[in-house]
Amino acid sequence: MNTMSNIQSTTAKLLINGQFIESKTQNWQDIVNPATQEVLGRVPMATTDEVDAAIAAAQAALKTWRVTPIQVRMRIMLKLQDLIRANMKKIAAVLTAEQGKTLADAEGDIQRGLEVVEHACSIGTLQMGEYTEGVARGVDTYTLQQPLGVCAGITPFNFPAMIPLWMFPMAIACGNTFVLKPSEQDPLSTMMLVELAVEAGIPAGVLNVVHGGKEVVDRLCTHQDIKAISFVGSTAVGTHVYNLAGQHGKRVQSMMGAKNHVVVMPDANKEQTLNALVGAAFGAAGQRCMALSVAVMVGESKEWIGELVEKAKTLKVNAGHEPNTDIGPVISSRAKARVTDLINSGVEQGATLLLDGRDVVVQGYEQGNFVGATIFDQVTTDMRIYKEEIFGPVLAIIHVDTLEQAIELINANPFGNGVGLFTQSGAVARTFQNEIDIGQVGINIPIPVPVPFFSFTGSRGSKLGDLGPYGKQAVQFYTQTKTITSRWFEDSHESTGVNTTINLR
Ligand code: NAD
């Protein structure tokens, strides 16, 4: 396994039919530490032949894997969760080096994925079908949840541990084989998890990995042997993947971009609310799909904005591996330029810049892609900083007078990933949860990502496809329901004659 001491100049390997192999491509991309610009390794843009070989290996392995007893599949997941737990710190160090988030947050990234592996250990009950005896005389109906076939997963840079673990453990536990295409920006920690999956006993061909960008993704979306695609990433790419794979007859789930609001009622617990807002807006440098982007201050809660800014000022910007860091770098210099451009647009379009993170310089890491906590007040819905996903540590504040106005504002926003409400009133919370049109709602919780025995249920512009990742919905996504209606005759059974109606008797 790669560790911090030997990731330098490493290359991300392909995994095809149980072998970790070097790509033969001429097209490579650097993997860069966002705090230092140090090149940590290189990732190949795999050739079409390599992608096809990975899919062929998955197709060949399917024959035996789909009939491998469910307890065997389950035991591999039990072993995998044990190995991930034992290697947590090593993986976190690599994840921080290539992604930039703090070590504590890197462990959180792995932990949230580990919980999905733990849940996959219950596949014996999760994949159970249904049975009704006696739907007509002597007739029973039951369902089987059968594996779909070869499935593929395409993952983003912001959770290189959690999101691959949303996908391949559940797909494989259900009896499918899998081709994973990790983010090309930070594939090294993902590959450490894949190495552990092989060590846990996932047989050759059941899990395969290819690296690359658009060409590799498009090949996965159009190849006849792929039955389902799970995508997590930006709205533009997610829409493309959904359309392309859909046109080629695949089952697709596309979890995409977001603009998450939190509504602050004047009766909320002030201290808890402000702490939650600061953590949710600026943690992971704002690079979470459930990060808080917009605080909607209702009525007198606007009096708290000064204290919010003071709290945000205390956050320490530094490299993720340094102690006490609150905000690490954003993923690339291109991402930093984009965030800075959006902050500039906020100023130009007339929002009030209360805290400016543009000119942060971190001693010892002067080349890092750092942006400090940034807060805009008096934001309006026509501004770019309101309309576009910034994916950086930038919080926009909007003022309204009533809960109804807050709900109307949020429901008019096209995204539907997450929303929060801070209040002490159960009645207000109940109205909010009923009337808000967002797939994941937090009541006094700023980032309401469900635990793995529920499912991730972002909605509207943040998602395409009906079923979400992990939880029971993932079992439905990765299986085909087959419904059997059966009748058995004794030799002595009296004939009822020919029946030309649709009724069973
Ligand atoms: P991205 O869309 O740039 O990349 C995602 C994947 O798509 C990567 O594997 C990448 O290699 C591939 N890709 C990139 N360009 C492509 C193209 N033109 N054609 C085909 N494939 C392409 O996303 P990102 O920047 O890595 O991740 C950040 C985005 O992901 C944000 O928008 C964030 O909100 C979103 N996200 C959503 C969720 C969710 O559950 N809704 C979770 C995490 C991240």
Side-chain angles (χ1 to χ4, degrees):
M1 168 178 288
N2 282 317
T3 62
M4 274 303 284
S5 57
N6 70 355
I7 59 172
Q8 287 216 339
S9 308
T10 198
T11 51
K13 302 290 183 287
L14 308 175
L15 173 61
I16 300 178
N17 203 21
Q19 301 296 312
F20 288 96
I21 56 172
E22 189 89 7
S23 172
K24 298 212 167 24
T25 185
Q26 299 299 310
N27 192 359
W28 293 79
Q29 199 168 300
D30 288 344
I31 305 161
V32 178
N33 181 325
T36 61
Q37 309 304 343
E38 176 195 4
V39 175
L40 299 171
R42 292 187 312 150
V43 61
M45 302 292 114
T47 64
T48 303
D49 283 351
E50 288 166 340
V51 179
D52 288 355
I55 297 169
Q59 182 68 29
L62 187 64
K63 203 169 171 219
T64 46
W65 184 246
R66 71 187 297 283
V67 293
T68 297
I70 207 158
Q71 296 97 316
V72 175
R73 300 184 334 231
M74 215 161 79
R75 275 181 213 123
I76 292 173
M77 293 302 147
L78 274 168
K79 180 72 182 162
L80 177 57
Q81 65 81 30
D82 189 39
L83 287 171
I84 294 174
R85 207 179 295 280
N87 288 280
M88 175 90 82
K89 293 227 178 290
K90 269 193 254 176
I91 303 169
V94 173
L95 200 159
T96 291
E98 64 177 349
Q99 204 278 347
K101 61 178 72 175
T102 66
L103 282 170
D105 209 31
E107 284 196 36
D109 187 334
I110 302 161
Q111 176 66 32
R112 293 308 294 259
L114 171 62
E115 289 172 5
V116 180
V117 183
E118 289 171 342
H119 194 229
C121 298
S122 310
I123 198 67
T125 43
L126 290 171
Q127 208 175 340
M128 271 181 184
E130 297 174 316
Y131 197 112
T132 298
E133 187 182 38
V135 296
R137 265 179 231 291
V139 178
D140 306 325
T141 296
Y142 53 96
T143 59
L144 309 176
Q145 296 301 135
Q146 294 194 316
L148 281 181
V150 182
C151 302
I154 299 150
T155 57
F157 80 83
N158 65 332
F159 283 100
M162 178 182 81
I163 293 178
L165 292 175
W166 278 5
M167 297 178 182
F168 76 78
M170 287 302 278
I172 287 173
C174 285
N176 301 287
T177 56
F178 205 82
V179 181
L180 177 68
K181 207 300 286 172
S183 169
E184 70 281 22
Q185 298 193 80
D186 49 13
L188 299 176
S189 46
T190 311
M191 288 312 291
M192 292 170 84
L193 292 162
V194 167
E195 285 175 36
L196 296 180
V198 171
E199 191 181 334
I202 291 184
V206 172
L207 174 62
N208 304 274
V209 182
V210 289
H211 298 286
K214 180 175 168 50
E215 273 179 41
V216 170
V217 169
D218 286 2
R219 185 69 184 165
L220 292 171
C221 290
T222 53
H223 195 289
Q224 59 178 11
D225 289 340
I226 300 270
K227 294 292 179 280
I229 300 264
S230 183
F231 171 87
V232 180
S234 63
T235 302
V237 180
T239 306
H240 162 74
V241 164
Y242 185 79
N243 290 335
L244 185 63
Q247 282 156 12
H248 286 78
K250 297 173 200 333
R251 189 177 287 188
V252 197
Q253 58 178 204
S254 232
M255 313 307 298
M256 307 184 295
K259 201 75 189 171
N260 306 304
H261 300 67
V262 159
V263 176
V264 181
M265 298 301 290
D267 71 339
N269 178 315
K270 184 170 77 172
E271 189 62 16
Q272 299 278 5
T273 304
L274 296 182
N275 288 343
L277 294 187
V278 170
F282 307 121
Q287 297 176 117
R288 295 180 179 132
C289 67
M290 291 288 278
L292 166 61
S293 307
V294 186
V296 184
M297 309 304 284
V298 180
E300 295 309 304
S301 71
K302 63 177 177 242
E303 307 294 335
W304 304 349
I305 292 171
E307 277 180 68
L308 179 76
V309 173
E310 289 311 310
K311 278 185 187 288
K313 278 184 188 165
T314 66
L315 296 177
K316 202 168 150 204
V317 182
N318 206 341
H321 63 270
E322 294 288 357
N324 307 320
T325 301
D326 297 301
I327 302 180
V330 295
I331 186 70
S332 62
S333 48
R334 203 172 55 138
K336 177 175 172 169
R338 193 179 159 274
V339 173
T340 308
D341 174 58
L342 275 156
I343 298 173
N344 294 343
S345 81
V347 175
E348 281 155 22
Q349 291 190 297
T352 309
L353 187 55
L354 298 180
L355 186 60
D356 184 356
R358 282 176 294 186
D359 296 324
V360 165
V361 177
V362 178
Q363 237 186 352
Y365 299 97
E366 288 78 4
Q367 302 306 312
N369 313 318
F370 294 99
V371 183
T374 299
I375 301 180
F376 278 109
D377 198 5
Q378 306 297 339
V379 174
T380 52
T381 54
D382 55 339
M383 294 177 181
R384 281 184 64 203
I385 52 168
Y386 180 75
K387 291 198 288 195
E388 293 179 33
E389 183 181 41
I390 300 176
F391 231 53
V394 182
L395 178 66
I397 299 177
I398 291 187
H399 300 229
V400 297
D401 295 326
T402 64
L403 178 71
E404 289 67 32
Q405 287 171 352
I407 292 173
E408 196 178 328
L409 173 103
I410 296 165
N411 286 352
N413 188 288
F415 292 108
N417 225 26
V419 72
L421 170 74
F422 282 76
T423 182
Q424 302 273 40
S425 161
V428 165
R430 198 164 185 282
T431 301
F432 185 78
Q433 77 183 29
N434 283 330
E435 294 183 9
I436 202 74
D437 189 8
I438 302 285
Q440 300 174 112
V441 180
I443 307 289
N444 297 311
I445 301 280
I447 304 189
V449 178
V451 291
F453 19 98
F454 292 86
S455 298
F456 192 93
T457 56
S459 65
R460 296 203 280 126
S462 296
K463 179 190 188 183
L464 287 167
D466 297 329
L467 298 167
Y470 65 80
K472 287 181 192 154
Q473 292 193 10
V475 177
Q476 283 184 288
F477 182 76
Y478 288 121
T479 58
Q480 173 64 46
T481 305
K482 186 180 279 177
T483 310
I484 322 274
T485 302
S486 75
R487 169 186 260 173
W488 294 94
F489 300 107
E490 304 279 355
D491 282 347
S492 58
H493 218 115
E494 207 175 292
S495 168
T496 50
V498 174
N499 179 10
T500 57
T501 72
I502 59 164
N503 288 331
L504 290 164
R505 281 181 280 164

